Amino acid sequence: MEGEIGVGDAFYVIGGKWKLRIIIALSEGAKRFNELQRTVEGISARVLSSELKDLEMNGFVTRNVHADTFPVVVEYEATGYAESLRGVLKELTAWGTMHRKRIRRQAELDRQNAPKRI
């Protein structure tokens, strides 16, 4: 029961298609909104804005406004708390790589065992 609750809590905070990708992109360094949108391919501006607000609210991202520049520069960066996901990301990467290889091997076997068309 506790494991199920923990997984549910984790998915509530970092689940979905984009949040981990945003955190990974920001782990490479602070980025402005448009730069981040280009880095996270396929995300719309509206969704990125919403996801950044959620990540900021949960302590994974900070929004830094540099009002002393013209135009005003806004950058987003991963927090130290986002570093707590490093092990999770490493394991997910390993699993995803293994899964992709497994699926490709199975597809190759299916092609080899398919009946020949005349």
Side-chain angles (χ1 to χ4, degrees):
M1 179 81 165
E2 188 175 315
E4 183 180 333
I5 292 171
V7 168
D9 291 344
F11 276 122
Y12 177 77
V13 175
I14 60 170
K17 185 175 181 179
W18 303 110
K19 286 187 176 95
L20 288 177
R21 292 178 183 188
I22 294 167
I23 291 170
I24 290 167
L26 291 175
S27 71
E28 300 167 358
K31 291 184 175 33
R32 294 170 71 170
F33 186 89
N34 287 336
E35 181 183 8
L36 186 55
Q37 188 178 9
R38 284 190 300 273
T39 303
V40 181
E41 292 182 25
I43 192 168
S44 71
R46 184 180 62 80
V47 170
L48 178 57
S49 178
S50 175
E51 297 289 272
L52 285 168
K53 286 175 186 173
D54 284 351
L55 289 168
E56 186 177 11
M57 181 183 71
N58 285 289
F60 293 107
V61 170
T62 57
R63 181 178 185 266
N64 302 311
V65 179
H66 303 284
D68 55 333
T69 63
F70 183 80
V72 173
V73 173
V74 178
E75 288 184 321
Y76 296 89
E77 65 181 320
T79 64
Y81 186 56
E83 283 292 312
S84 67
L85 294 171
R86 184 180 299 273
V88 172
L89 291 172
K90 183 178 178 181
E91 290 298 321
L92 277 172
T93 300
W95 185 87
T97 301
M98 178 274 307
H99 181 68
R100 179 181 295 265
K101 287 178 183 176
R102 179 180 180 273
I103 295 298
R104 285 184 174 164
R105 271 194 313 269
Q106 187 59 51
E108 182 59 32
L109 286 172
D110 291 349
R111 276 192 296 278
Q112 290 173 1
N113 294 329
K116 305 289 185 222
R117 292 186 180 182
I118 300 177

